[in-house]
Amino acid sequence: MMERVNTWLREDPFRLPRAFFIGASWLLLLSLLFPYWRMTLQAPQYPGGLRVDVYVTHLAGDVSEVDNLNHYIGMKKLHEAAQVERFLAPLAIGAAALLGEALAFTRRRWAAVLALPAMLFPFIFLADMYYWLYRYGHDLDPNAPLRLPPFTPPLLGTGVVGQFRTVAELQLGFWMALAASFLIALGLHFRRVVRTALERRQAVRLGPLTLVPEGARG
Amino acid sequence: MMHGKAKGVILGVLMALVAACARGGATPVAGLPAEAQTVIRERGLSPEDVVAALRTYVPGGKYDEYVMFASGGHSGQVLVIGIPSMRLLKVIGVFTPEPWQGYGFGEKGTLEVLAEGFARGKPILWGDTHHPALSETEGEYDGQFLFINDKANARLAVIDLRDFETKQIVKNPNAISDHGGGFVTPNTEYVVEGPQYAAPIGWEYAPLDQYKDKYRGLLTFWAFDRQKGRVDPDRSFQIELPPYWQDLCDAGKKVSYGWVFCNSINTEMATGGIEEGNPPFEAGTAKNEMDYLHIINWKKAEELIRAGKYEVINGIKVIRLQTAAQEGVLFFAPEPKSPHGVDVAPGGEYIVVGGKLDPHVTVYSFEKIQKAIAAGNFERDPFGVPVLKFEDVKEAQVELGLGPLHTVFDDKGYAYTSLFLDSAVARWSLGGPYRKDGAEPWKLVEKLPVHYNIGHIAATEGDTVSPDGKYVVALNKWSVDRFQPVGPLHPQNFQLIDISGGKMRLLYDMPIGIGEPHYAQIIKADKLKPFLVYPEIGWNAVKMAKDPNATEAGRERVEVREEGGRRVVEIWMTAVRSHFKPERVKIRKGDHVIWHITNIERARDATHGFALGGYNINLSLEPGETATIEFDADQSGTFPFYCTEFCSALHLEMMGYFLVEP
Ligand SMILES: [Cu+2]
């Protein structure tokens, strides 16, 4: 088995980083189907709590009930947040995935920048989430029935507002995007390893893998 | 987890306690909280009391194993009670407006339901509810619908058990009173409404000296359309009966499927008149040693209907008495004496009749009835109805005590009969296929005193083809000294009896502060599949479908138009915690108002009320529900409207102004 992999890699040592790039782009696309972030509200009168799941493209769960509660403190309706992002996100992810894929088919040094959008995506998501959480907690309607000092709901972990305990957690979609990010980093790493080895015309052994054939190539 | 553990501990503690009490109660029991002992001592509880308390205790958050539907008597309503906790869960408005559910207080749908039950256009806003009947599939309760009759006005109501609300009231066009209803045939093909006091068919007048010629009984088979959840009068029919006062009825099942049995009193055809020196009804109707068990072949009756052998009277098909007697639809068998209940055993083999004025229950064999009919060995009554011979059809008579009324069954081959005059429940053994344990058949086994004057009796799934044999509830007419006096009108008493063990055990007394309940049926709770919120926003609870006038959030509006020379104001409103939208509605005196309100909540229990003082309007809007009110603004003024359900911290602020300019 290993021997066959090695033969396959000897034919073209860039196949290994390419596999990582392609895997990452598919993983990223797949992450569209799963929630990235979840907020759970716990209060005595909601046994089991209220849940809002944030996907890259939409919100799911007890959105209207949470909106109902939020209106007491003058918070805007959840679906009004990040509308531009939600519209653009599938396109952005598609583009990032395409770029990742393109990276797999070029050996040029500068092409590493193509990996950046896909690699950074999970962090951009978090930064954007934080921005909206901040805005929602600070942009409260001054005419709301209950007036609260501005606050930022937790991006991760637990926060308390009134009798509500809020728990924010990352979900499968986010972990998939993060894994894609990691795969791309690995791909870039191996891409460099292969390139350096080729320049020096020597074989690189990674455990059972042989990345560059012994003897001349280039 | 915590619950289970806590319960285990409490049970252990109490069982230990019981053991201690049984030994004299002085020895402290390891692990028993001192508080429990103190409570037991201070309240003077016996070991039996402690066990009974444990048997019925259901902690909050845990559900009862059974749900009992009890008639609300002349409150005109239905009571929903959990068993074994005996907690009242709901009062369903049926024939009487019910303010908490906003039933009959302005909401168009429920007003229309109530209006279906008006007699000759005259509003009738109460009923004497007697016999709740759960819908059945193959003789088992299926938890879909509940039916109940109104004895005073011969009406039948349909309650949908998805939301426990009344959907239809059918006024019997030809009968004025009923008693032997409602009960269902084994697949709810029909909801049967038995008559009570004989009267001329179709609310006609006839002097009492024409009793034999003009007065009649009437058995109604209301066809039920399960898909629509409504009685279908077009497919329904009636059978004309002699003017013996038919009383209770029950449907045959399994081997006796296709038949219905009713008993009767007043085969004497007494017409009363003590003021003229006649014997009073109570004596005149109780002269004969035997009355008649009515044996009705409804499958045969269906054939007659298909063959066109009926007359249409007031819009419903009626098989005339002579046809029923001649064509093998109707038979009689003698039954002693002024009997009360008639109840079919789970397998359908036996029909048990409570003697009332005779200390026996009489058990008839369906097989023997069929043989007697086939042999043609009968005489005819004055109306030409075949009367089978008592000895030919009787299986057994069991002496139980004074005033046997109603019988229910368990899973071990025993029957339970209420004894009105004895104030007791009798347990007795059935024979035939029910006697596999070698015990002597047809014999009184045990009697348990109850408090007091027991009428009906109900058992867990006790009139289906497979009773559960866990509990019996005694529905007592008098409570006398059982409860804190609340004036001369005493509560009536439901008593929970454990029948699962070797001896019957009284577990709980439940006072009923509403009406004089009659009968009850008890269903396994997990057979009920009610909505928790309405399936979609804008649900019309009467039509059980989305309402075309559902108001969507953001589409609230008020429209004014001219119609027939007057202004019509139509309002589309939403209700959500904690506001109505719009909050102000301003119109002119004399305007006609059509007002749709949608509760756009999706959270369980987020019900809003809508009360409009001065206009007799009070709605209950459960999550998702759309309701419509319609009225003439005949008084000017400033009318605050508000939410009647305490829905949130800002509930008091959930209001608005309805301004009617002079
Ligand atoms: Cu409210």
Side-chain angles (χ1 to χ4, degrees):
Chain A
M1 175 68 196
M2 220 50 242
E3 198 38 52
R4 276 170 58 189
V5 174
N6 276 326
T7 317
W8 183 69
L9 284 179
R10 264 186 215 111
E11 282 169 20
D12 178 0
F14 282 100
R15 275 178 175 160
L16 183 68
R18 190 177 299 149
F20 282 114
F21 295 139
I22 293 173
S25 60
W26 281 103
L27 202 52
L28 194 58
L29 281 176
L30 209 60
S31 78
L32 278 171
L33 303 178
F34 298 92
Y36 269 48
W37 188 83
R38 169 178 294 176
M39 183 189 62
T40 315
L41 276 169
Q42 282 155 354
Q45 67 271 45
Y46 294 98
L50 294 173
R51 224 192 58 225
V52 173
D53 280 330
V54 174
Y55 290 70
V56 171
T57 51
H58 65 284
L59 302 174
D62 305 303
V63 180
S64 63
E65 188 56 19
V66 172
D67 279 339
N68 262 347
L69 294 169
N70 284 346
H71 103 271
Y72 289 112
I73 57 168
M75 208 183 251
K76 276 198 285 285
K77 288 197 188 298
L78 294 181
H79 74 86
E80 287 168 17
Q83 284 179 332
V84 176
E85 289 94 319
R86 280 205 298 276
F87 174 72
L88 290 178
L91 304 172
I93 284 193
L98 268 179
L99 290 177
E101 198 113 347
L103 178 62
F105 297 101
T106 169
R107 297 179 184 185
R108 292 179 192 282
R109 199 175 288 275
W110 61 263
V113 297
L114 296 179
L116 277 178
M119 261 183 95
L120 293 179
F121 187 78
F123 307 102
I124 296 171
F125 173 84
L126 281 185
D128 192 57
M129 254 330 281
Y130 185 81
Y131 164 76
W132 282 108
L133 287 168
Y134 178 90
R135 268 197 61 182
Y136 265 57
H138 285 74
D139 223 2
L140 299 172
D141 182 352
N143 294 318
L146 279 172
R147 215 156 307 153
L148 283 189
F151 67 103
T152 308
L155 179 65
L156 289 173
T158 305
V160 175
V161 178
Q163 88 272 37
F164 285 93
R165 222 171 73 98
T166 319
V167 181
E169 300 159 297
L170 297 172
Q171 297 294 300
L172 184 59
F174 179 84
W175 296 120
M176 287 167 82
L178 196 68
S181 204
F182 184 64
L183 282 183
I184 288 172
L186 276 180
L188 286 175
H189 171 69
F190 288 123
R191 196 168 172 268
R192 217 185 56 204
V193 168
V194 170
R195 183 181 302 283
T196 318
L198 279 177
E199 278 167 7
R200 294 186 189 159
R201 295 177 183 273
Q202 59 187 198
V204 174
R205 293 192 167 277
L206 282 169
L209 293 182
T210 310
L211 288 192
V212 180
E214 287 156 89
R217 232 210 113 157
Chain B
M1 267 314 273
M2 279 303 288
H3 270 303
K5 214 171 183 182
K7 190 179 161 201
V9 170
I10 292 169
L11 268 174
V13 164
L14 281 163
M15 292 325 279
L17 176 73
V18 170
C21 290
R23 288 201 306 270
T27 333
V29 176
L32 175 70
E35 192 186 353
Q37 298 199 44
T38 312
V39 169
I40 289 162
R41 197 170 49 244
E42 281 176 0
R43 301 179 73 184
L45 301 179
S46 70
E48 292 75 27
D49 292 338
V50 176
V51 173
L54 266 178
R55 290 249 169 233
T56 59
Y57 180 63
V58 179
K62 301 227 168 192
Y63 299 162
D64 279 297
E65 190 183 354
Y66 292 94
V67 172
M68 173 161 71
F69 293 93
S71 69
H74 37 271
S75 75
Q77 296 163 332
V78 165
L79 314 174
V80 186
I81 295 161
I83 285 180
S85 74
M86 302 303 274
R87 290 180 295 208
L88 177 64
L89 302 172
K90 195 174 216 175
V91 176
I92 305 173
V94 184
F95 299 106
T96 308
E98 203 293 319
W100 176 52
Q101 292 163 70
Y103 178 74
F105 292 97
E107 201 268 311
K108 240 182 118 183
T110 58
L111 286 178
E112 281 166 10
V113 170
L114 281 165
E116 291 173 328
F118 291 178
R120 298 169 160 177
K122 187 181 170 62
I124 296 180
L125 293 175
W126 77 287
D128 187 6
T129 55
H130 266 245
H131 303 106
L134 287 156
S135 59
E136 292 180 11
T137 301
E138 289 177 9
E140 300 278 10
Y141 299 150
D142 54 38
Q144 293 182 4
F145 296 94
L146 181 75
F147 310 95
I148 192 156
N149 71 315
D150 162 23
K151 166 168 164 165
N153 305 290
R155 297 183 295 175
L156 184 84
V158 180
I159 297 162
D160 194 320
L161 293 180
R162 283 174 295 176
D163 64 355
F164 288 54
E165 289 188 6
T166 305
K167 305 300 173 190
Q168 186 186 22
I169 297 177
V170 200
K171 172 73 194 90
N172 194 312
N174 289 326
I176 184 153
S177 65
D178 68 25
H179 188 225
F183 63 95
V184 300
T185 52
N187 288 303
T188 323
E189 297 96 335
Y190 296 99
V191 190
V192 188
E193 187 191 6
Q196 178 90 92
Y197 304 118
I201 286 183
W203 287 45
E204 297 302 319
Y205 171 78
L208 280 163
D209 57 20
Q210 297 177 14
Y211 189 84
K212 198 182 155 203
D213 292 335
K214 295 281 173 66
Y215 283 58
R216 287 295 177 264
L218 201 62
L219 186 62
T220 307
F221 287 77
W222 292 112
F224 186 63
D225 184 332
R226 204 187 278 264
Q227 231 53 48
K228 290 193 182 128
R230 298 289 185 279
V231 160
D232 179 359
D234 289 344
R235 288 195 297 116
S236 305
F237 63 90
Q238 300 183 318
I239 300 172
E240 179 186 359
L241 301 173
Y244 314 140
W245 296 351
Q246 291 77 22
D247 196 39
L248 281 162
C249 304
D250 198 5
K253 47 194 151 193
K254 295 217 155 168
V255 296
S256 52
Y257 176 78
W259 294 72
V260 152
F261 309 93
C262 301
N263 50 23
S264 64
I265 52 180
N266 197 18
T267 44
E268 297 83 352
M269 296 191 276
T271 55
I274 39 175
E275 59 285 351
E276 287 163 26
N278 296 334
F281 272 113
E282 62 175 44
T285 60
K287 215 164 69 207
N288 291 352
E289 281 310 306
M290 292 284 190
D291 288 285
Y292 289 138
L293 172 68
H294 291 42
I295 301 164
I296 293 131
N297 184 342
W298 63 263
K299 281 286 176 190
K300 182 81 191 171
E302 277 184 333
E303 282 172 31
L304 296 190
I305 293 291
R306 275 195 295 272
K309 295 185 178 171
Y310 59 81
E311 276 174 40
V312 174
I313 304 176
N314 290 326
I316 189 163
K317 302 177 183 94
V318 181
I319 298 175
R320 301 311 302 237
L321 176 53
Q322 208 192 349
T323 315
Q326 295 303 323
E327 302 268 358
V329 165
L330 178 63
F331 301 90
F332 290 154
E335 53 180 4
K337 160 187 184 178
S338 302
H340 199 50
V342 54
D343 297 285
V344 178
E349 315 88 340
Y350 301 118
I351 300 108
V352 179
V353 171
K356 195 168 81 177
L357 302 184
D358 177 283
H360 299 86
V361 285
T362 302
V363 182
Y364 297 82
S365 152
F366 181 71
E367 199 186 328
K368 290 182 178 175
I369 289 172
Q370 292 306 305
K371 275 190 189 146
I373 290 172
N377 188 15
F378 46 70
E379 280 150 22
R380 289 182 186 267
D381 87 329
F383 297 90
V385 181
V387 182
L388 311 174
K389 294 201 163 37
F390 186 57
E391 289 307 319
D392 287 353
V393 295
K394 184 195 78 175
E395 180 72 29
Q397 283 192 293
V398 189
E399 187 171 343
L400 299 179
L402 296 179
L405 297 185
H406 306 281
T407 301
V408 289
F409 304 91
D410 72 7
D411 56 339
K412 298 170 203 76
Y414 293 95
Y416 301 79
T417 301
S418 55
L419 303 176
F420 181 82
L421 297 172
D422 268 2
S423 282
V425 171
R427 176 192 245 173
W428 52 279
S429 57
L430 296 165
Y434 298 94
R435 227 30 313 125
K436 295 188 191 95
D437 58 4
E440 198 182 331
W442 313 123
K443 193 167 182 306
L444 173 67
V445 177
E446 191 194 350
K447 253 157 108 165
L448 182 81
V450 293
H451 314 103
Y452 303 93
N453 288 9
I454 179 175
H456 266 286
I457 185 170
T460 44
E461 305 248 333
D463 51 18
T464 68
V465 294
S466 62
D468 282 5
K470 284 211 167 170
Y471 300 105
V472 148
V473 174
L475 282 65
N476 309 326
K477 303 300 181 187
W478 284 18
S479 66
V480 191
D481 57 352
R482 305 302 293 173
F483 307 107
Q484 165 71 33
V486 286
L489 181 60
H490 289 29
Q492 308 216 346
N493 189 8
F494 283 14
Q495 285 185 304
L496 181 69
I497 298 164
D498 182 350
I499 56 162
S500 62
K503 280 219 170 278
M504 292 189 277
R505 262 200 304 190
L506 202 53
L507 295 183
Y508 196 81
D509 275 11
M510 180 201 187
I512 296 289
I514 304 165
E516 191 235 329
H518 289 269
Y519 181 48
Q521 286 194 329
I522 307 171
I523 185 174
K524 198 102 168 49
D526 58 18
K527 287 186 178 177
L528 298 166
K529 303 273 183 286
F531 292 149
L532 303 180
V533 296
Y534 278 117
E536 43 183 319
I537 291 180
W539 195 258
N540 180 315
V542 174
K543 303 217 156 52
M544 286 304 239
K546 177 136 177 168
D547 193 304
N549 280 304
T551 318
E552 279 164 40
R555 303 225 43 225
E556 298 90 349
R557 64 202 185 276
V558 179
E559 286 173 9
V560 182
R561 59 176 185 270
E562 287 283 328
E563 230 170 67
R566 66 173 178 177
R567 264 167 46 110
V568 174
V569 180
E570 190 157 6
I571 304 144
W572 285 268
M573 177 179 266
T574 56
V576 72
R577 277 160 292 168
S578 326
H579 53 270
F580 293 107
K581 192 175 176 185
E583 288 188 325
R584 288 183 196 166
V585 176
K586 192 170 152 191
I587 67 160
R588 290 185 218 143
K589 186 179 170 184
D591 287 355
H592 184 69
V593 180
I594 305 169
W595 198 325
H596 315 286
I597 312 174
T598 300
N599 178 346
I600 58 174
E601 304 266 8
R602 298 310 288 152
R604 265 179 90 166
D605 225 357
T607 297
H608 295 293
F610 176 86
L612 182 58
Y615 275 96
N616 194 36
I617 284 166
N618 172 41
L619 311 180
S620 173
L621 302 153
E622 287 90 59
E625 183 171 355
T626 289
T628 296
I629 48 180
E630 193 169 342
F631 59 96
D632 290 317
D634 53 4
Q635 13 172 3
S636 58
T638 302
F639 303 91
F641 54 83
Y642 70 98
C643 171
T644 45
E645 286 273 345
F646 209 113
C647 56
S648 75
L650 294 167
H651 154 74
L652 292 179
E653 290 80 353
M654 187 165 172
M655 64 84 66
Y657 283 105
F658 178 56
L659 303 156
V660 186
E661 292 178 312

